[in-house]
Amino acid sequence: MKQPIGVIDSGVGGLTVASELVRQLPKESIIYLGDTKRCPYGPRPKEEVIQYTWEMVHFLLERDIKMLVIACNTATAFTLDQLREELAIPVVGVIQPGARAAITHSRTAEIGVIGTDGTINSKAYVDTLRQINTDIEVHDLACPRFVPLVEKGIVQGEKAYQVVRETLQPLKQFSNMDTLILGCTHYPMIKALIQEEIGSTVTVISSGEETAREVSTILEYQNKLYQGEQAPQHYFYTTGDVGVFHEIASRWLNQKIDAVDKIELNTVKKA
Amino acid sequence: MKQPIGVIDSGVGGLTVASELVRQLPKESIIYLGDTKRCPYGPRPKEEVIQYTWEMVHFLLERDIKMLVIACNTATAFTLDQLREELAIPVVGVIQPGARAAITHSRTAEIGVIGTDGTINSKAYVDTLRQINTDIEVHDLACPRFVPLVEKGIVQGEKAYQVVRETLQPLKQFSNMDTLILGCTHYPMIKALIQEEIGSTVTVISSGEETAREVSTILEYQNKLYQGEQAPQHYFYTTGDVGVFHEIASRWLNQKIDAVDKIELNTVKKA
């Protein structure tokens, strides 16, 4: 199937997921839509997040995507179930793949989760982990200072490390915790610092990597992987500033981005 | 969904997959069928493997399984596509999950695969890897001495290590290879020795672990995970010696196995 995989996010964070899709599924084409203008979704009311997400979904459905990836933790928490129910194409979110990978890796069944205030307060990771295994002990921690750091491009050096060190302090008491989920799509950009601070005995799970893996699983399972010889084509859309998006996308995807288009999202009915 | 997950294998090897299912999905019930009497499938003609596999499938379908796991590399290579096409329930094999996990983990795109003569000669791993990414370099190696070793229970000590060392010698020249797939369900029992010999810079992928992960992915995606409070019940069936099977199953699953029943498989038509 030559149709592209659609990826939606509240802004640029989901590019870490897109970047893993490009790496793990190099034959597949991607359409990415970041609602940068209305980013972040985290602090918004649930109904608003649902409305904005449906607007993005409608935009991509008109471009004939074969699968939808919700590359945003907040939007996943609020819309995954209804999107799966109402769309005819497969829908994958970012929470379940990270949770499942943590269960696969953990031998102590004591798992850490870090994310934005919104994601941690939603308890979406705790619920997903416990849905699969009621005996899992979860240590979750909101890290509100990480996203601003990454968005400013401060992803290495003493200042970044200091923020990481101070923020992760509460997790260091759990000596039996052997796995830590990066429950925010921005965090892979500072994964090296997080790994250094949390220690080499803890496996750090990047939800982008794991989401791409599960996209591959479901496409193959549904016999929808692209099998032809044509080179992939990627399209990027933003509701915000094209220049800023283009610069971040080129850096994060570590490749030249041909075109980023600015679009307006239409106010649409939910279903 | 309270119905069990069905697991079929040519013998006891698939118990490493069952053991990972029990660990990663502790609420789920499992029915395992090992065709020990006719094991191994590896050297048999393709048509015979297909016929035997269908006999196992019919036995489990009568027991109302909600999903089928082909926990045998040979049977996966020969029957996955047709089983997916003809059964109404989801079907997962052991080859694709290991291949996908290797793609996720590898940064050099140089991947090793070890397995039985049958699996390596079938090129099933090479085909699956290249189907997703044509640029992947694959180094495959048949390790015919490993299964007899594991079946005799020689999984540690100098003798086992010597066999592992001698067998893996041809792979040691590939200094850029950063991931090694254990393409046989017996090999996880000697994973520690393989890891020691191949070195800590190589990620060793166990297909049992990865198959259980993908079973979890697909059950959740299809909304078929068991959500009730009842304890799981596992059933084991063998076409061979009950005592031997019971002893190996208890050891490999690291838990008391209540009952193993001996059954006869009926000769049935393929579809």
Side-chain angles (χ1 to χ4, degrees), chain B residues 36-79:
Chain B
T36 326
K37 186 174 151 193
R38 302 187 289 199
C39 184
Y41 281 8
R44 294 184 184 272
K46 181 173 172 173
E47 280 309 314
E48 202 167 56
V49 172
I50 294 174
Q51 170 68 27
Y52 292 177
T53 304
W54 271 106
E55 289 172 18
M56 290 200 282
V57 170
H58 278 278
F59 179 84
L60 290 186
L61 286 179
E62 283 171 10
R63 273 138 197 94
D64 195 23
I65 54 174
K66 64 178 171 184
M67 182 165 196
L68 175 69
V69 181
I70 315 170
C72 168
N73 281 274
T74 312
T76 298
F78 293 158
T79 68

Side-chain angles (χ1 to χ4, degrees), chain B:
Chain B
M1 272 190 146
K2 182 63 186 155
Q3 292 110 287
I5 298 167
V7 182
I8 55 173
D9 182 44
S10 58
V12 294
L15 288 168
T16 61
V17 181
S19 137
E20 279 297 317
L21 285 170
V22 170
R23 185 178 74 84
Q24 294 184 42
L25 291 167
K27 291 181 179 178
E28 300 293 335
S29 299
I30 291 164
I31 299 190
Y32 183 98
L33 168 54
D35 191 9
T36 326
K37 186 174 151 193
R38 302 187 289 199
C39 184
Y41 281 8
R44 294 184 184 272
K46 181 173 172 173
E47 280 309 314
E48 202 167 56
V49 172
I50 294 174
Q51 170 68 27
Y52 292 177
T53 304
W54 271 106
E55 289 172 18
M56 290 200 282
V57 170
H58 278 278
F59 179 84
L60 290 186
L61 286 179
E62 283 171 10
R63 273 138 197 94
D64 195 23
I65 54 174
K66 64 178 171 184
M67 182 165 196
L68 175 69
V69 181
I70 315 170
C72 168
N73 281 274
T74 312
T76 298
F78 293 158
T79 68
L80 179 66
D81 290 343
Q82 56 175 269
L83 286 171
R84 279 201 175 153
E85 200 163 308
E86 299 192 26
L87 301 193
I89 53 170
V91 183
V92 168
V94 278
I95 292 173
Q96 294 73 13
R100 256 191 294 278
I103 286 173
T104 305
H105 284 283
S106 177
R107 299 289 152 174
T108 61
E110 208 173 313
I111 294 171
V113 182
I114 56 177
T116 62
D117 281 316
T119 301
I120 296 303
N121 291 337
S122 79
K123 293 284 170 196
Y125 277 97
V126 180
D127 292 346
T128 302
L129 289 164
R130 294 255 172 83
Q131 182 190 359
I132 298 173
N133 183 348
T134 36
D135 293 335
I136 284 178
E137 199 169 337
V138 186
H139 306 295
D140 54 3
L141 178 71
C143 304
R145 295 167 73 193
F146 286 4
V147 168
L149 206 66
V150 171
E151 296 228 325
K152 278 179 212 139
I154 307 168
V155 295
Q156 52 191 357
E158 187 45 42
K159 186 177 169 191
Y161 188 49
Q162 191 186 334
V163 172
V164 170
R165 196 165 51 223
E166 288 169 11
T167 305
L168 296 184
Q169 189 57 36
L171 288 180
K172 303 212 45 160
Q173 62 184 299
F174 305 115
S175 59
N176 209 28
M177 182 184 88
D178 68 350
T179 309
L180 177 67
I181 302 171
L182 305 185
C184 170
T185 51
H186 282 72
Y187 296 2
M189 302 302 290
I190 51 171
K191 184 177 176 183
L193 297 177
I194 293 168
Q195 181 75 69
E196 189 174 335
E197 179 56 17
I198 206 73
S200 62
T201 58
V202 177
T203 302
V204 176
I205 304 282
S206 155
S207 54
E209 218 172 279
E210 301 301 334
T211 301
R213 155 86 185 272
E214 297 208 354
V215 166
S216 180
T217 302
I218 289 170
L219 284 181
E220 189 260 336
Y221 173 69
Q222 296 210 335
N223 206 16
K224 286 181 177 169
L225 284 169
Y226 176 59
Q227 298 297 326
E229 303 293 327
Q230 288 177 47
Q233 290 181 294
H234 307 311
Y235 294 95
F236 297 86
Y237 297 95
T238 174
T239 55
D241 188 278
V242 168
V244 172
F245 189 95
H246 191 278
E247 189 267 324
I248 295 179
S250 306
R251 184 149 43 89
W252 287 19
L253 268 73
N254 202 20
Q255 60 175 249
K256 201 178 149 290
I257 304 296
D258 287 336
V260 178
D261 283 324
K262 179 164 177 169
I263 56 144
E264 295 274 342
L265 285 173
N266 298 316
T267 303
V268 288
K269 290 227 175 84
K270 272 201 307 184

Side-chain angles (χ1 to χ4, degrees), chain A residues 80-132:
Chain A
L80 179 66
D81 289 344
Q82 54 174 268
L83 286 170
R84 278 200 175 152
E85 202 162 305
E86 299 191 24
L87 301 193
I89 54 171
V91 182
V92 167
V94 277
I95 292 173
Q96 294 72 16
R100 257 189 294 276
I103 287 173
T104 305
H105 284 283
S106 178
R107 299 290 152 175
T108 60
E110 208 173 315
I111 294 171
V113 182
I114 56 177
T116 62
D117 281 316
T119 302
I120 297 303
N121 290 338
S122 80
K123 294 283 169 199
Y125 278 97
V126 180
D127 291 348
T128 303
L129 289 163
R130 295 253 173 85
Q131 183 190 357
I132 299 172

